[in-house]
Amino acid sequence: MKNNKFCEMIGIEYPIIQGAMAWIADSTLAAAVSNAGGLGIIATGNMPVDLVREEIRKAKELTDKPFGVNIMLLSPNAEEVARIVCEEKIKVVTTGAGSPGKYMEMWKSHNIKVIPVVASVALAKRMEKAGADAIIAEGCESGGHVGELTTMALVPQVVDAVNVPVIAAGGIGDKRGVAAAFMLGAVAIQVGTRFLAARECNIHENYKQKVLTAKDIDTVVTGRSTGHPVRVLRNKLTRKFQILEKGNAASEEFDKLGKGALTKAVKEGDLDNGSFMAGQIAGLISKEETCKEIIEEMFDLVNLLEKINKDIR
Ligand SMILES: Cc1cc2nc3c(=O)[nH]c(=O)nc-3n(C[C@H](O)[C@H](O)[C@H](O)COP(=O)(O)O)c2cc1C
């Protein structure tokens, strides 16, 4: 998009970031998004560092467009991944679960744009002060780890609180969501759940089908009582979590139940014991498409804006 601050900052065509998704957002998905004009992101979660480097190099073979790497700062490998992104000349780093402050100087000296994900105004301000180039404000409609505020409430408050560009995330599934995000003051969007249904997304077919057939009320947040709230699609595992929460079980019991659950969903498609992370917008997503088709639909805004223009006169 011409004159879009975020597109100019990163050198991309559409102001969309494909959200990091641990064990899902690999080089194939990231490169497909970047080739389609967005910003693909490789999620590193708690991946072994050799695999991180391998995925980065694969992505470089698949695209000559910019792509980024997401670092979960609580991961035991965070420090090493923070160095790898410099060595591999990555252009953009998004961060979750903590403050990237201690890496900021190193990343800046390597011309890396740093974009933390936040769920509150206070954290957005802290990140701006620490040197963030932009902020992703993520509402609790989103899949994966969530905060308390909705996208609708969070984004305009973050926009008013900081001077750097704000990217809206959480619950954006089509061009109406994109238009709404811009109305709230965001300059770009980050999307996770819709990309779960991308043809280039390498998840087990059962996972994809679960997203494609989900209804509006099919997600639930587990882990609020343990301080690690995660939005996932309901199944036997989420019911077990809810029972543990009601019984105020010890955190070891949660850890035992959750161990390997994401892999069970992503790789094995284990419908009962897998953790099928997805956002509330899953109910809107009903077909598998390529990343290019998804992005082009989301930014087909002209007709929509004409309709809005008519409706508000
Ligand atoms: C399956 C899944 C895994 C996720 N894993 C991560 C992650 O590893 N790191 C991160 O910063 N965000 C993670 N997220 C959040 C996304 O990057 C993105 O911000 C979010 O999906 C946007 O909301 P939406 O799901 O409504 O599109 C994950 C989301 C999903 C759906």
Side-chain angles (χ1 to χ4, degrees):
M1 269 165 69
K2 282 197 187 109
N3 303 322
N4 179 281
K5 244 193 218 168
F6 188 69
C7 289
E8 279 172 10
M9 178 194 277
I10 310 292
I12 52 176
E13 194 183 337
Y14 295 102
I16 178 170
I17 305 179
Q18 159 254 308
M21 294 185 278
W23 296 109
I24 295 172
D26 58 5
S27 50
T28 309
L29 182 63
V33 169
S34 291
N35 283 333
L39 181 70
I41 299 282
I42 296 172
T44 62
N46 51 8
M47 232 188 219
V49 287
D50 290 349
L51 192 53
V52 171
R53 208 186 281 277
E54 200 180 300
E55 281 299 305
I56 291 173
R57 292 193 176 166
K58 270 193 207 162
K60 283 180 185 166
E61 277 171 24
L62 295 170
T63 185
D64 54 5
K65 304 263 169 61
F67 66 88
V69 169
N70 174 259
I71 304 180
M72 293 303 276
L73 297 161
L74 285 180
S75 156
N77 300 333
E79 188 122 17
E80 231 172 310
V81 179
R83 268 198 304 274
I84 290 177
V85 293
C86 298
E87 290 162 13
E88 294 292 331
K89 301 187 168 44
I90 294 299
K91 248 188 131 169
V92 181
V93 165
T94 64
T95 62
S99 170
K102 68 172 180 175
Y103 305 118
M104 211 52 107
E105 214 180 298
M106 174 172 74
W107 287 340
K108 293 280 167 179
S109 70
H110 286 82
N111 287 324
I112 295 173
K113 301 282 183 221
V114 185
I115 315 182
V117 181
V118 306
S120 73
V121 167
L123 199 54
K125 283 182 168 173
R126 253 179 63 201
M127 295 298 110
E128 181 183 40
K129 216 167 160 193
D133 295 281
I135 301 280
I136 299 167
E138 186 192 67
C140 62
E141 299 92 323
S142 79
H145 291 85
V146 292
E148 279 295 329
L149 296 176
T150 59
T151 303
M152 186 83 155
L154 176 69
V155 173
Q157 295 189 68
V158 172
V159 167
D160 284 355
V162 298
N163 293 309
V164 292
V166 175
I167 296 128
I172 302 169
D174 67 5
K175 58 184 159 194
R176 292 167 296 180
V178 177
F182 280 100
M183 291 295 191
L184 296 175
V187 297
I189 54 160
Q190 169 159 291
V191 170
T193 298
R194 184 152 181 198
F195 284 117
L196 286 172
R199 211 172 285 284
E200 300 91 339
C201 182
N202 292 316
I203 49 176
H204 194 282
E205 188 53 29
N206 288 353
Y207 199 150
K208 214 168 258 189
Q209 283 309 318
K210 221 169 149 51
V211 173
L212 291 172
T213 56
K215 296 191 298 294
D216 54 349
I217 56 167
D218 282 349
T219 70
V220 65
V221 175
T222 60
R224 284 204 201 279
S225 63
T226 60
H228 299 288
V230 181
R231 186 175 296 285
V232 287
L233 290 164
R234 287 173 207 274
N235 65 354
K236 235 184 202 167
L237 179 70
T238 61
R239 282 191 287 279
K240 285 185 190 165
F241 269 120
Q242 284 170 325
I243 290 167
L244 284 187
E245 291 200 66
K246 273 192 192 131
N248 282 326
S251 68
E252 297 80 60
E253 287 197 56
F254 287 91
D255 293 348
K256 210 165 105 195
L257 192 58
K259 197 162 188 276
L262 182 58
T263 318
K264 281 182 196 151
V266 175
K267 305 277 181 223
E268 297 160 30
D270 183 339
L271 291 168
D272 289 339
N273 305 303
S275 173
F276 294 87
M277 295 203 273
Q280 291 181 328
I281 206 66
L284 193 79
I285 301 163
S286 55
K287 61 177 178 201
E288 191 184 27
E289 289 170 297
T290 63
C291 291
K292 186 170 187 292
E293 286 166 334
I294 291 173
I295 293 174
E296 286 177 356
E297 184 283 324
M298 292 187 99
F299 286 92
D300 173 27
L301 294 169
V302 175
N303 292 332
L304 180 67
L305 292 177
E306 268 172 20
K307 182 179 177 302
I308 294 171
N309 218 351
K310 266 191 213 144
D311 287 349
I312 59 174
R313 266 161 208 246

